[in-house]
């Protein structure tokens, strides 16, 4: 299995055209044999910033996807509609492996985060080890957590990506961050992450 995150920043005057094309591409991608999951999100802070999360059978499925007509159409529209080239993150699984077995309840507000951050590489192994413990506890013990995955990024030793779904926002700020394992992770990240942690946090909603 291979996961990807793609970030698109549309020109404000072209965002409606771009998101319509993006949704068309999503519908077509779901029919591809190698696609296991594709979800599209918009930033809560900037309505012209979009994230696409995908899971694929393997790298060959991604290569095949790149040659599909709907993918080529999206890239062609993007030449006019986007402010800059998309940011592609080709992800590597870490331990524990991604677990998407939980789902939201009808009453859940659902709070979603993409946290893609730069770190000082000398802290990389320590962070991966700490996050393993952190994620095991989060998935097992926190009722408010729906999904919590950590990924490496191919060819970027200084980058890690966290993808999270929560039943409501307060489950993050009021409960999760006060857990002993989260406090320990937070202290390590203050040393490891380059710059302010907040600059890397993207709060999104699914479209």
């Amino acid at each position: 299995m291979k996961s990807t995150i793609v970030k698109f920043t549309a020109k404000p005057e072209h965002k409606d055209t771009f998101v319509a094309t993006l949704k068309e591409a999503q519908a077509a991608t779901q029919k591809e044999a190698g696609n296991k999951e594709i979800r599209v999100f918009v930033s809560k802070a900037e309505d012209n910033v979009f994230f696409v999360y995908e899971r694929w059978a393997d790298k060959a499925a991604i290569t095949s996807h790149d040659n599909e007509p709907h993918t080529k159409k999206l890239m062609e529209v993007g030449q006019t509609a986007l402010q800059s080239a998309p940011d592609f993150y080709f992800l590597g699984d870490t331990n524990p492996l991604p677990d998407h077995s939980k789902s939201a309840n009808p009453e859940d507000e659902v709070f979603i985060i993409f946290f893609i951050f730069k770190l000082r590489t000398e802290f990389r192994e320590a962070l991966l080890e700490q996050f393993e413990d952190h994620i095991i506890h989060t998935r097992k013990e926190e009722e408010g957590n729906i999904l919590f995955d950590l990924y490496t990024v191919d060819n970027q030793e200084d980058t890690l990506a966290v993808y999270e779904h929560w039943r409501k926002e307060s489950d993050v700020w009021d409960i999760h961050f006060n857990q002993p394992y989260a406090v320990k992770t937070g202290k390590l990240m203050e040393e490891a992450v380059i710059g302010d942690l907040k600059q890397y946090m993207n709060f999104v909603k699914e479209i």
Side-chain angles (χ1 to χ4, degrees), residues 5 22 26 32 48 53 69 75 80 95 153 162 167 184:
I5 297 171
L22 185 57
Q26 178 188 23
E32 294 180 43
N48 64 317
Y53 173 84
M75 293 301 102
T80 299
N95 291 318
V153 179
V162 180
R167 299 195 185 283
K184 185 175 179 180

Side-chain angles (χ1 to χ4, degrees), residues 17-54:
T17 299
F18 182 75
V19 75
T21 308
L22 185 57
K23 291 294 290 180
E24 288 176 9
Q26 178 188 23
T29 299
Q30 289 170 335
K31 299 176 183 178
E32 294 180 43
N35 182 256
K36 303 304 179 183
E37 182 179 1
I38 176 169
R39 305 179 75 163
V40 178
F41 306 90
V42 62
S43 167
K44 289 184 175 181
E46 301 173 278
D47 65 2
N48 64 317
V49 176
F50 305 95
F51 290 84
V52 178
Y53 173 84
E54 302 166 334

Side-chain angles (χ1 to χ4, degrees), residues 33-203:
N35 182 256
K36 303 304 179 183
E37 182 179 1
I38 176 169
R39 305 179 75 163
V40 178
F41 306 90
V42 62
S43 167
K44 289 184 175 181
E46 301 173 278
D47 65 2
N48 64 317
V49 176
F50 305 95
F51 290 84
V52 178
Y53 173 84
E54 302 166 334
R55 282 186 65 74
W56 298 92
D58 49 35
K59 287 185 177 181
I62 299 175
T63 300
S64 176
H65 170 70
D66 290 342
N67 292 313
E68 291 286 345
H70 48 270
T71 305
K72 292 182 178 180
K73 179 182 177 181
L74 181 65
M75 293 301 102
E76 288 171 4
V77 170
Q79 290 179 4
T80 299
L82 296 178
Q83 289 185 357
S84 56
D87 295 319
F88 289 92
Y89 300 94
F90 296 95
L91 309 177
D93 291 342
T94 65
N95 291 318
L97 292 172
D99 181 357
H100 296 189
S101 61
K102 295 180 184 178
S103 57
N105 299 318
E107 68 273 15
D108 291 338
E109 300 169 9
V110 187
F111 185 64
I112 303 170
I113 307 169
F114 285 106
F115 182 34
I116 306 169
F117 59 92
K118 295 289 185 181
L119 68 148
R120 296 177 176 86
T121 54
E122 62 267 28
F123 289 96
R124 188 175 190 268
E125 292 307 316
L127 269 177
L128 290 173
E129 182 178 340
Q130 174 56 28
F131 262 113
E132 182 173 352
D133 181 68
H134 181 133
I135 293 169
I136 289 170
H137 283 290
T138 298
R139 290 177 180 172
K140 183 178 179 180
E141 300 170 13
E142 296 192 50
E143 291 294 328
N145 181 252
I146 301 171
L147 182 155
F148 199 122
D149 295 340
L150 172 72
Y151 299 99
T152 57
V153 179
D154 292 357
N155 302 315
Q156 295 187 47
E157 290 291 306
D158 65 343
T159 306
L160 295 175
V162 180
Y163 175 48
E164 309 172 45
H165 288 212
W166 298 85
R167 299 195 185 283
K168 57 184 183 297
E169 185 173 353
S170 60
D171 287 331
V172 179
W173 309 120
D174 297 344
I175 299 174
H176 177 66
F177 281 138
N178 290 313
Q179 301 306 307
Y181 45 87
V183 171
K184 185 175 179 180
T185 304
K187 289 180 179 178
L188 180 58
M189 292 191 71
E190 286 176 3
E191 293 184 79
V193 174
I194 298 171
D196 187 353
L197 291 172
K198 293 180 181 178
Q199 69 180 303
Y200 301 113
M201 290 185 179
N202 300 280
F203 307 111

